[in-house]
Amino acid sequence: LKRLGELVEYHTEIELLIVGGVAGMITGLFDPKHVTGDCDVMNYAPAEAMAAVELAAEQVGEELGLPSNWLNSDVQIRVDALPSGWQQRKVLIGEHGILRMYAVSRPDLIAMKVLAGRDQDLEDLEELRVREDEVDFARTYLGTLQAQGTPQEQIDDAYELLDALELHDEQ
């Protein structure tokens, strides 16, 4: 990410919102040995800067021998899945060149992983040692999604996952 910030060229500062495994790794929520295949960028501000960042990401990938999709913007198709108020909770993870990089907060990461519900997300939730207050946050979040177009079946699956989570008193 540092190299990306060194290479990106744009006429103004750019903010990236990183979600998924990398967000958990960079913010220290996951064990340092945690592995993920890519860096998911959910939001670019300004949105028009995405092309400049992706061009620089290609160069970084070539330089460092990373897969071509190491910086993954595919998650943007679910930008509606960002919990309301995420902007106030985002965590600054670095400033490199004109890039200002943020990660989603712990409660937002947990809520989004509950919604995604893939095997890796279940493992991540176990590692996060989710607390009751975080389940309450996720439950409230899930209650807002139908109005945003999330299929009810996906929401129901997420509620089921929440109900099955082992809760912890502390992280």
Side-chain angles (χ1 to χ4, degrees):
L1 292 173
K2 180 179 179 184
R3 183 67 177 137
L4 180 66
E6 292 169 354
L7 292 177
V8 71
E9 294 180 12
Y10 200 67
H11 62 274
T12 187
E13 285 190 349
I14 304 168
E15 288 188 9
L16 304 181
L17 178 68
I18 296 172
V19 300
V22 170
M25 292 165 62
I26 289 179
T27 58
L29 296 174
F30 292 140
D31 185 285
K33 296 175 185 154
H34 192 92
V35 176
T36 188
D38 60 7
C39 179
D40 296 318
V41 179
M42 179 68 85
N43 191 56
Y44 291 83
E48 300 78 26
M50 182 175 159
V53 174
E54 289 188 343
L55 183 64
E58 283 181 39
Q59 187 174 345
V60 171
E62 289 171 11
E63 286 179 11
L64 301 178
L66 299 172
S68 60
N69 67 339
W70 76 270
L71 190 73
N72 179 11
S73 300
D74 293 347
V75 294
Q76 286 189 329
I77 62 170
R78 287 305 316 264
V79 73
D80 62 306
L82 277 169
S84 179
W86 66 267
Q87 298 94 333
Q88 290 76 41
R89 292 183 300 272
K90 66 186 178 185
V91 178
L92 180 65
I93 56 173
E95 296 181 68
H96 304 290
I98 60 170
L99 282 186
R100 180 170 287 140
M101 294 170 252
Y102 293 90
V104 290
S105 69
R106 177 183 169 91
D108 294 325
L109 180 63
I110 289 169
M112 293 172 75
K113 287 200 164 285
V114 165
L115 180 64
R118 300 163 300 187
D119 289 343
Q120 181 61 53
D121 298 308
L122 299 177
E123 291 175 25
D124 292 346
L125 288 165
E126 186 176 310
E127 184 175 343
L128 286 166
R129 299 180 53 82
V130 178
R131 300 183 315 258
E132 187 173 345
D133 63 308
E134 294 164 331
V135 167
D136 292 343
F137 178 89
R139 197 172 299 284
T140 300
Y141 158 74
L142 292 173
T144 68
L145 293 177
Q146 187 177 21
Q148 297 180 45
T150 302
Q152 187 61 49
E153 183 179 352
Q154 186 179 14
I155 296 169
D156 291 343
D157 290 347
Y159 277 125
E160 200 172 301
L161 190 160
L162 269 182
D163 292 339
L165 280 179
E166 178 183 348
L167 298 182
H168 300 273
D169 293 334
E170 55 188 61
Q171 298 173 17

